[in-house]
Each structure stands twice: as structure tokens, then as C-alpha cells.
Amino acid sequence: QENEIMAETIEEAVAENQMGDQVEVSFTSQYVQLTMKGTLLFDSGSAELKEEAKTVLDKVGVMLERYGNGTIEIEGHTDNIPISSSRYASNEELSSARALSVFYYLSETTAINPTDLKHAGMGQRVPIADNSTEEGRSKNRRVEIKIYNPS
């Protein structure tokens, strides 16, 4: 129930900041989750944050400072199309680098204690949509921020 209340509060903050098309809020009994599309944050095959992503992450950071009194986990996810890049050997590496980019950004721009932040690259292992369509692959390319309730 605490997570439901926190999710509702965060959803209100997302709406107030007019970020409904950029940040999706959901919750389970364990955590509240913020999901951001990969295309919002990164160019294809890159783990460098876009300038417009920083604006969104600044607003997300304020929400995390306000409501994230537990562990905050940042997960990078990709689709199943093998990456062909000299910089990243696999989707696993790309997703890890993307999670780390968000981790560093939030560590540097918020008052969140870095010991409360975790990051993980999930690669293509946890799809939320069908990878056989472009629309599905687009949904699978994302960053999720999970706010675990401390109680």
C-alpha cells in the first residue's frame, strides 16, 4: 500500500511536470518503477545522454530526492537486435553503459546518497514487448528506475 501511495504521488509530480509522455510510472509490492524510453535518453547504439534527456533526468532526480528514501536501482534494457559497434561488444555491455550513464548523472546532479543507488545492465533478457516488431523493440529499449521501499 505504501508503494501505491508513493506511485500516485510520483504520477502527480510527473503530470505537474508535463512528463507523462516521457516517464511511465508503475508499482509492485516491492518498488515503484519509473520507465523512460531509450530514444528519449540516448541515440541508437550510444550510452551518452542526449541534452534533452538531462532535462527529464533533472526532474526525475528531484522526485527521487523527495520520495526515494530506500534503495534506487537503475536498469538499462535493450532489444534483441545484436549491436554492431566497436565500442560495445554486446547489448549486455550497451545496457550496462546506459544504466551507468544515468547513475553517474543522478550521482552528480542530485543529493541522493550514491550508496543508495545501484545500476545494472539487463541487455535483452527482460523484454516487455514482442521483439519481432519495431514497435515492440522500441518499447524494450528503455531505462527503468526502481525505488524500493525502505520498510
Side-chain angles (χ1 to χ4, degrees):
Q1 187 176 350
E2 286 179 41
N3 285 345
E4 185 174 0
I5 293 165
M6 182 171 32
E8 286 172 6
T9 307
I10 291 173
E11 277 178 346
E12 288 169 15
V14 166
E16 279 173 29
N17 284 294
Q18 299 169 338
M19 296 168 44
D21 56 338
Q22 300 163 320
V23 179
E24 187 181 304
V25 181
S26 58
F27 70 95
T28 70
S29 61
Q30 296 177 316
Y31 55 79
V32 174
Q33 177 171 295
L34 308 179
T35 303
M36 291 165 286
K37 294 180 183 128
T39 53
L40 166 72
L41 301 174
F42 307 102
D43 288 327
S44 180
S46 170
E48 188 175 323
L49 287 168
K50 293 178 173 179
E51 279 309 309
E52 56 267 33
K54 293 176 182 177
T55 307
V56 174
L57 286 174
D58 288 341
K59 293 175 183 176
V60 167
V62 170
M63 289 181 233
L64 294 174
E65 285 175 334
R66 195 169 297 156
Y67 309 112
N69 356 347
T71 299
I72 298 169
E73 187 168 37
I74 302 157
E75 291 183 352
H77 296 266
T78 65
D79 60 26
N80 68 344
I81 303 293
I83 187 166
S84 54
S85 152
S86 59
R87 185 140 192 213
Y88 303 106
S90 66
N91 282 333
E92 205 69 35
E93 285 187 20
L94 176 62
S95 67
S96 292
R98 287 179 168 185
L100 199 54
S101 288
V102 174
F103 167 86
Y104 283 141
Y105 189 79
L106 291 174
S107 295
E108 292 162 8
T109 62
T110 68
I112 299 167
N113 186 337
T115 60
D116 292 334
L117 288 173
K118 293 164 63 176
H119 55 86
M122 304 304 286
Q124 64 195 30
R125 292 176 283 146
V126 191
I128 56 171
D130 185 352
N131 270 313
S132 68
T133 67
E134 178 48 46
E135 184 185 345
R137 288 189 298 273
S138 176
K139 286 181 181 174
N140 289 331
R141 295 187 295 268
R142 68 199 187 280
V143 169
E144 295 174 349
I145 298 177
K146 295 177 179 176
I147 307 163
Y148 287 87
N149 201 317
S151 56

